[in-house]
Amino acid sequence: MSDVAPGKSLDGTGWIGKVLAGLILGAVLAIGLMGILGLLFHADAQLKTATSQILRWFPGPVWGLIVAFSFLFHTSRQAWLALAVINGVVWALFFLLHGIMA
Amino acid sequence: MKIRGDIVRLYRNVHSWAGITAGLFLFIAFYAGGMTMFELPLGNWASRTSALPAPVPAERLSELVQKAQAADPTVATNHTVVLHPNETSPSSLMWTVSADRDHGPARTVYAGLAADGALVTQTRTPSQVGYFLNILHQRIGLPLNREYGRLIMGIVALLYAVALVSGTIVLLPSLIRNLFALRLTENLRRVWLDFHTLLGFCSLPFHIVMAATAAGFAFHQPIMALEKNLFFPAAPTHLAQKDKPHHGQNPQALLEPMAIVDAFRTQVPGLEPDALAYSSRGGKLSLHVMVHDTAEVARRPDGGYGEVNPYTGRLTSTDFLPGHQTPAFQVLTVIYALHFGTFGGLLIRWGYAVLGFGGAFLFYSGNQLWLSSRRRRERSAGLTEDSFGTRFLSILTTGCMIGCISGVSAVLAATPLLPEGGHYQTVEALFYAVFFSCVMVAVCLGGARSLRPLLAVAGVLTLLIPLTDMMRCLASGAVTSLALSVDGVALVYGVVLVMLALRKGQRQTPAAGVAVTP
């Protein structure tokens, strides 16, 4: 991506940082979302219910989408920050639900 | 659809790099994956079943099972009663005798009754060719074990998702303008571009389904481990009894096979049991009644199953029984069926095969497009020869892709000659020998110049399939319609490949000439 001419609005500069943010924080985010959905729909830890088996298919595509769209962040810093904040909210919600339902 | 120009430019770059990185793997995955649409017929075609014990009539099934259990007590918890014997499973009773599940169908004992009522058995490994093609597809062409294969497969699945999203973003703004403008001009790059766009757009839904389900498959194992930690346990199960298998000591008597079939038919009218599979799960004998119905949406190409209590014949679970699932399990089945093409019968399977091979060609055209636009840029920059990167990718594109076609054809051509229809290790060795030979030829001759000879090799190897198969048929004296259709398809395909090799020869010369002159 180094051969991209620097444009004024959005270009490939800092793509490694953005993609790494998408790869690492995107995975954590996808798992967190799966956790929330699983709690809401009463998925079980033994993977016997249909819900827990269907949810297994959820994080992969979501992760892929997050990585694909991580190029849209303006800077690598913004990518890490934004994804970290969303992760914080999602995982806080997960642990809240986990606490309420336990 | 309006998308900002800078975003389209950015994603055009993302698309070409993600595509180039994953394209070679995806070609093999789609080519072999298209083949797996016919895994069952290919298995039937490859199987050598003439000498196996003949099926017994329904009323003697019980006698057969009892005699087999008397001869080998472990059979009780591991056997399958075949109710409708066919070419793949021609005997009424079979059980596996090896635990090796990584190489496909395990070593199997086939049992029947002799004229005097004595038990006769034959031990054989079913053809593992179909399974090899399936694994080649799953491991995207790399000879890796399950663990590392999954990792690489996950990376490629992510790259595939990125390439798909970016490709769609690039395509959307110019959709109406460029879609059906197939410009068959002198400009090779334009032809590849238009072709790539048209093919990509037409098979977009298929690729979305494949990318989503492939990403699902790739990360199954780690996600299952995470689910166990994130969710609450279900109602407690009898874990204490898990380590104490006690086969044969159950006070209750097992129902006879035909009694199970009758009980199943009354509980589930309209579904015909195919086989009764007994296995041991957590020390308990469990029975799956397999049903096969090509019209129904099924989880696997070989159909669905209902769980039945082997002592009472009562249906205990319809989670995976076609037509009797809860909506949630139906959704789960649809996810599998969308990947395996196991809905809507033969038409969909052929459609999936065509889309699969079309997908392979999409990646081929993507690589060619990248090569021709890079060559153009290098020529206008004043380079008289291809740069290292261009040469490298050109070699890999021709070598790996045509090598994959040649390897698969070589495996299928060798199948009729191999003992027991081909063991996994044998066909794997053969495939990679042919594959790497093709890559070596491409390295020596260069990508563009090796295309014609390699296509000819692939064509000749494909034409060998009907030759060796007919030799086998004539030797055994039995020509089945299945063999004829496999041979017919291979014949047409081989002729097409050879014709392409000859035609490309005429066309490639001026194109290569253009490529060399700055």
Side-chain angles (χ1 to χ4, degrees):
Chain A
M1 214 114 322
S2 51
D3 57 344
V4 179
K8 50 184 184 298
S9 36
L10 195 64
D11 59 36
T13 43
W15 68 275
I16 292 188
K18 296 177 197 173
V19 169
L20 275 180
L23 274 174
I24 296 165
L25 294 182
V28 183
L29 181 61
I31 297 298
L33 288 172
M34 178 186 79
I36 293 177
L37 286 174
L39 291 180
L40 287 179
F41 290 100
H42 301 285
D44 65 313
Q46 281 86 31
L47 317 174
K48 282 195 177 137
T49 57
T51 321
S52 36
Q53 293 187 44
I54 293 170
L55 273 179
R56 236 187 278 165
W57 297 88
F58 174 80
V62 171
W63 192 18
L65 283 175
I66 296 174
V67 173
F69 285 113
S70 63
F71 291 98
L72 289 177
F73 288 109
H74 275 278
T75 59
S76 158
R77 206 180 120 84
Q78 189 207 12
W80 284 94
L81 267 175
L83 284 172
V85 168
I86 302 172
N87 258 308
V89 173
V90 164
W91 280 97
L93 192 60
F94 171 79
F95 283 111
L96 192 72
L97 273 173
H98 201 273
I100 292 171
M101 294 171 82
Chain B
M1 181 130 184
K2 200 108 182 94
I3 296 179
R4 265 165 46 199
D6 55 333
I7 294 180
V8 173
R9 262 195 305 283
L10 167 66
Y11 272 101
R12 186 170 294 134
N13 255 309
V14 173
H15 183 70
S16 51
W17 286 106
I20 284 303
T21 325
L24 294 168
F25 298 113
L26 289 174
F27 179 91
I28 299 177
F30 274 72
Y31 190 76
M35 291 277 171
T36 61
M37 287 299 110
F38 308 107
E39 192 177 350
L40 292 185
L42 277 178
N44 284 350
W45 169 74
S47 294
R48 309 279 169 283
T49 53
S50 47
L52 292 176
V56 302
E59 62 272 12
R60 296 189 72 186
L61 277 176
S62 175
E63 181 193 343
L64 174 63
V65 174
Q66 276 164 13
K67 282 185 175 161
Q69 285 182 20
D72 180 358
T74 61
V75 168
T77 53
N78 161 37
H79 68 273
T80 299
V81 179
V82 183
L83 299 166
H84 301 285
N86 60 13
E87 276 163 284
T88 346
S89 4
S91 304
S92 292
L93 177 68
M94 55 188 197
W95 62 90
T96 55
V97 285
S98 76
D100 178 19
R101 282 166 187 273
D102 278 356
H103 293 136
R107 197 140 184 83
T108 305
V109 180
Y110 297 86
L113 292 172
D116 60 347
L119 182 75
V120 284
T121 60
Q122 268 272 355
T123 308
R124 191 167 298 194
T125 307
S127 171
Q128 294 175 327
V129 166
Y131 186 79
F132 167 73
L133 292 178
N134 196 341
I135 288 299
L136 187 69
H137 155 75
Q138 287 181 29
R139 305 276 187 276
I140 47 174
L142 298 167
L144 295 168
N145 65 9
R146 199 174 281 262
E147 210 175 319
Y148 294 104
R150 293 259 159 160
L151 184 73
I152 306 284
M153 179 181 150
I155 295 170
V156 173
L158 280 180
L159 281 168
Y160 181 29
V162 170
L164 191 59
V165 169
S166 54
T168 312
I169 291 175
V170 173
L171 180 69
L172 280 176
S174 59
L175 188 59
I176 308 301
R177 186 153 40 86
N178 284 344
L179 180 56
F180 293 107
L182 194 56
R183 288 156 289 197
L184 289 168
T185 57
E186 296 292 303
N187 189 338
L188 202 59
R189 195 185 67 90
R190 273 259 161 259
V191 177
W192 282 122
L193 176 64
D194 292 343
F195 192 78
H196 187 76
T197 309
L198 183 65
L199 197 58
F201 176 77
C202 291
S203 50
L204 188 60
F206 174 76
H207 282 282
I208 291 173
V209 163
M210 285 302 148
T213 48
F217 274 120
F219 304 117
H220 250 172
Q221 238 56 33
I223 290 170
M224 270 160 70
L226 283 164
E227 278 189 298
K228 285 178 185 159
N229 292 313
L230 291 176
F231 302 148
F232 296 111
T237 48
H238 307 288
L239 286 168
Q241 291 190 333
K242 264 210 162 149
D243 299 316
K244 282 207 303 182
H246 41 258
H247 7 104
Q249 293 168 11
N250 202 301
Q252 283 174 285
L254 286 175
L255 274 190
E256 290 186 2
M258 287 323 285
I260 299 263
V261 170
D262 288 339
F264 186 83
R265 281 190 188 133
T266 43
Q267 288 171 92
V268 198
L271 275 182
E272 179 57 24
D274 233 12
L276 311 178
Y278 290 86
S279 61
S280 166
R281 277 165 198 250
K284 264 174 56 186
L285 185 65
S286 106
L287 167 60
H288 287 178
V289 176
M290 321 294 288
V291 294
H292 187 63
D293 189 349
T294 45
E296 292 272 7
V297 178
R299 190 158 177 261
R300 299 256 165 205
D302 43 5
Y305 63 85
E307 279 178 52
V308 168
N309 183 325
Y311 304 100
T312 63
R314 201 174 56 81
L315 201 59
T316 51
S317 162
T318 58
D319 284 350
F320 297 105
L321 191 62
H324 297 267
Q325 296 177 297
T326 59
F329 272 100
Q330 187 70 44
V331 169
L332 190 63
T333 301
V334 165
I335 296 175
Y336 281 93
L338 277 173
H339 189 91
F340 295 129
T342 46
F343 57 97
L346 209 57
L347 190 69
I348 293 291
R349 296 192 75 70
W350 271 96
Y352 259 57
V354 169
L355 283 166
F357 298 137
F361 199 72
L362 179 71
F363 305 125
Y364 179 77
S365 66
N367 276 19
Q368 290 296 348
L369 178 58
W370 191 85
L371 285 171
S372 46
S373 51
R374 241 180 101 105
R375 284 206 179 100
R376 197 179 63 142
R377 216 171 325 134
E378 282 166 11
R379 296 301 163 269
S380 56
L383 284 166
T384 49
E385 271 187 0
D386 286 354
S387 71
F388 174 75
T390 311
R391 214 154 9 121
F392 186 65
L393 189 86
S394 175
I395 286 169
L396 280 183
T397 302
T398 309
C400 293
M401 293 185 178
I402 313 295
C404 169
I405 297 176
S406 306
V408 169
S409 290
V411 164
L412 290 177
T415 299
L417 308 176
L418 292 170
E420 298 192 310
H423 293 156
Y424 190 93
Q425 282 90 345
T426 324
V427 292
E428 187 182 36
L430 177 64
F431 174 84
Y432 285 110
V434 173
F435 180 81
F436 284 118
S437 307
C438 289
V439 174
M440 283 320 291
V441 169
V443 169
C444 294
L445 293 182
R449 248 189 313 150
S450 62
L451 184 63
R452 186 162 57 127
L454 284 181
L455 270 175
V457 167
V460 168
L461 283 171
T462 311
L463 287 174
L464 278 178
I465 300 173
L467 197 72
T468 55
D469 192 44
M470 277 303 134
M471 269 165 56
R472 172 186 64 141
C473 282
L474 291 177
S476 68
V479 183
T480 60
S481 60
L482 180 66
L484 283 178
S485 36
V486 171
D487 294 348
V489 171
L491 187 68
V492 172
Y493 184 38
V495 168
V496 168
L497 283 173
V498 170
M499 272 166 55
L500 271 173
L502 298 177
R503 272 190 56 159
K504 269 276 184 252
Q506 293 160 0
R507 231 192 236 169
Q508 199 65 30
T509 331
V514 168
V516 180
T517 44

